[in-house]
Amino acid sequence: MAKIITILGIESSCDDTAAAVVQLTSETEVNILSSKIFGQKELHKKFGGVVPEIAARAHTEKLDYVIEDALEEAKLNLNNIDAIAVTAGPGLIGGVMSGVMYAKGLSVGSKKPLIGINHLAGHALTPRLTNQIEFPYLMLLISGGHCQFLLVHGPTKFIRIGASIDDAPGEAFDKVARLISLPQPGGPSIEASAKSGNSKRFNFPRPLIGRDGCNMSFSGLKTSVLRTRDNLIQEQGGLYSIDQSDISASFQEAISEILIKKTTVALEMYLEINPNCPTFSVAGGVASNGLIRDNLKKLTETFGVNFIAPPIELCTDNAAMIAWAGIEYYRLGIRDDMSLGARPRWPLDESAPALIGYGKKGRKA
Ligand code: KG4
Ligand code: ZN
C-alpha cells in the first residue's frame, strides 16, 4: 500500500488568498480535506481591476487566518502534514512573495519540507486531482492571465503547442465587461447578461482563426466591442440593457468559436502522439463558462476523446490544486530550500518561444 501523503497548499499569486489540505490515501484515492479562499474582489472593486499593492497587503494580512482555517477544517496541525507547497510564480510579485515568505517561515518553524509550485502547473495538473487521468493528456488552460494548449507528459513536463499572442480570454471578458458597464470579474457577468441576448446581432472578429497552428488572439475583439458600443451610443443616445445582453452574447460566441476552432487543431496534433486512451481537459477561470464548456465537450465527443472539466471551484484559483501539485512533486522527491524565490514570470514550457503580451498577472507565459 502506498504511503499516505498529506500536503498543505498555499496560493497568493493574484487576488485570492487560499490554503488547502489535500491527502493521497492510495494510488487512486485523493481527498481534499479542506480548501479555503479569502477573495479580495471587494477590495479592488472600485478600481476596476486588481491593484497589486492592495493585493499584496491583503495577502500578508489574511494568510495566517486562511491557513489556520484550512488546517482546522482538515482536523490537522503542522505536525501531521508531510510538506508545504506554495505558489512561487507566475503572478503579481508582491502576492507571490507574501506566500513564499510565509511558507518558508512555516517550513523552518515546523521542520517540514518546502515545495515551490508553478501556478500554471497547479491548473494543468488539476484533472489528475479530480479524475486521476494518465499522461500524456491535452490541456487547454484559459484564465485571466493565461491561455495555452499544453501536452502534459508528466508533473514537470509540459510542451506548449499554442498560446494567445496577446490578451488572455479572461482578460478579454474583463475588459469587455468594463466597456459595457458590467461588474468585475467580467466573465461571470458577461455570461449572465448573455443569457437573455442575441448572439447573432453583432459579428465580432475571430482573429487568426484561418491560420495554421493553434496560436490565438483576442485583443481585436475588445477594440471591435468598443467601436460597436460607441456607434450604438451615437445612434441611440445611450446603451440599453438589451444592447449589453446582445454584445455579451455575441462576444461570448466569438470567444467560444475561436477556442473551438483552435482546440480542433490542437486535438489533431495531440492525437498523432496519443491515439490510444486520449484525454482532453480544460482548466482556469474561463473554463467555468457554460457555453465554452459545453462546446468543448461536444467537440471532443466528435473526436472520441475523453473530456474532463474540473468542478468550477477547482477551475478558478484555489490552493487545492497547489497542494495536489505538491503531492505529485513530493512523490518525485522534489524539494526546495530557503533559496526558493518568487518568479513573477515563469513559463511552464521554458523551451517554447516567448509570445508578446501582458496579462493581469504580468507578462504572459
Ligand atoms: O484562473 P482564474 O481564477 O485566475 C487567473 O489565474 O487569472 O481566472 C480568472 C478569470 C477572470 O478573468 C474571469 O473573468 C474569468 O476567469 N472567468 C470567466 C468566468 N468565470 C471566471 N470567464 C468566462 N466565463 C465565466 N463564467
Ligand atoms: Zn489561475
Side-chain angles (χ1 to χ4, degrees):
M1 164 140 177
K3 177 188 175 316
I4 294 174
I5 302 173
T6 313
I7 304 278
L8 169 68
I10 301 173
E11 155 65 33
S12 60
S13 66
C14 192
D15 57 353
D16 290 305
T17 318
V21 180
V22 177
Q23 190 169 63
L24 183 78
T25 45
S26 72
E27 268 318 308
T28 51
E29 200 185 330
V30 191
N31 292 311
I32 300 175
L33 301 184
S34 62
S35 182
K36 295 286 176 184
I37 300 184
F38 174 79
Q40 303 178 356
K41 308 250 167 344
E42 282 305 310
L43 297 177
H44 303 284
K45 205 170 170 180
K46 65 172 179 247
F47 302 101
V50 179
V51 183
E53 289 74 15
I54 295 178
R57 189 168 313 167
H59 286 308
T60 34
E61 279 168 10
K62 297 296 176 202
L63 275 164
D64 239 351
Y65 302 106
V66 173
I67 292 168
E68 230 175 79
D69 254 21
L71 286 168
E72 202 178 298
E73 189 170 309
K75 299 192 176 55
L76 296 174
N77 59 48
L78 285 174
N79 294 324
N80 316 121
I81 61 155
D82 292 295
I84 299 156
V86 62
T87 300
L92 298 172
I93 182 74
V96 181
M97 274 172 68
S98 309
V100 169
M101 299 304 283
Y102 199 97
K104 281 183 179 177
L106 280 186
S107 166
V108 172
S110 64
K111 301 192 174 55
K112 297 291 178 180
L114 175 72
I115 306 174
I117 305 290
N118 183 312
H119 176 89
L120 303 175
H123 280 303
L125 295 169
T126 299
R128 285 174 50 80
L129 162 65
T130 56
N131 297 67
Q132 290 82 49
I133 60 172
E134 296 291 328
F135 300 114
Y137 55 92
L138 175 66
M139 155 69 54
L140 170 61
L141 181 48
I142 37 176
S143 71
H146 300 282
C147 176
Q148 45 195 299
F149 285 107
L150 295 162
L151 296 176
V152 186
H153 286 277
T156 59
K157 188 158 182 227
F158 305 90
I159 296 177
R160 196 185 77 197
I161 58 169
S164 171
I165 60 163
D166 42 52
D167 290 352
E171 196 180 355
F173 270 102
D174 295 341
K175 286 177 178 171
V176 164
R178 218 168 287 137
L179 285 177
I180 59 171
S181 306
L182 289 175
Q184 295 293 315
S189 44
I190 288 192
E191 182 170 15
S193 167
K195 289 212 165 27
S196 51
N198 171 6
S199 63
K200 306 280 176 276
R201 178 165 163 206
F202 303 106
N203 186 19
F204 295 126
R206 276 83 161 144
L208 299 190
I209 213 163
R211 297 260 187 96
D212 286 348
C214 46
N215 280 347
M216 291 155 282
S217 165
F218 299 98
S219 76
L221 269 137
K222 66 172 186 286
T223 319
S224 182
V225 170
L226 173 67
R227 222 174 295 123
T228 303
R229 179 201 70 175
D230 289 350
N231 288 342
L232 285 171
I233 293 173
Q234 206 170 23
E235 284 161 19
Q236 323 174 142
L239 196 72
Y240 299 99
S241 119
I242 182 72
D243 302 321
Q244 281 180 318
S245 297
D246 291 348
I247 290 177
S248 295
S250 306
F251 165 79
Q252 191 176 249
E253 186 72 30
I255 295 255
S256 169
E257 198 181 317
I258 297 168
L259 291 171
I260 293 302
K261 281 270 156 62
K262 292 302 178 178
T263 304
T264 308
V265 179
L267 278 168
E268 282 161 359
M269 290 164 84
Y270 165 63
L271 285 171
E272 270 179 32
I273 64 153
N274 187 25
N276 305 316
C277 286
T279 304
F280 168 77
S281 179
V282 61
V286 182
S288 4
N289 185 283
L291 178 79
I292 294 171
R293 272 169 104 97
D294 288 351
N295 287 344
L296 286 171
K297 184 167 190 292
K298 280 185 212 138
L299 174 73
T300 42
E301 277 167 7
T302 66
F303 275 90
V305 169
N306 184 20
F307 174 73
I308 293 178
I312 288 171
E313 65 277 12
L314 293 175
C315 281
T316 48
D317 286 352
N318 66 87
M321 68 180 190
I322 302 303
W324 167 250
I327 289 177
E328 297 255 33
Y329 289 15
Y330 186 87
R331 282 195 292 199
L332 293 175
I334 297 172
R335 308 284 186 269
D336 280 290
D337 57 25
M338 289 304 119
S339 66
L340 177 68
R343 292 181 64 180
R345 181 171 186 279
W346 184 3
L348 266 186
D349 178 357
E350 310 250 11
S351 66
L355 291 163
I356 315 150
Y358 290 80
K360 73 175 183 185
K361 287 183 170 183
R363 186 188 277 274
K364 288 189 206 54

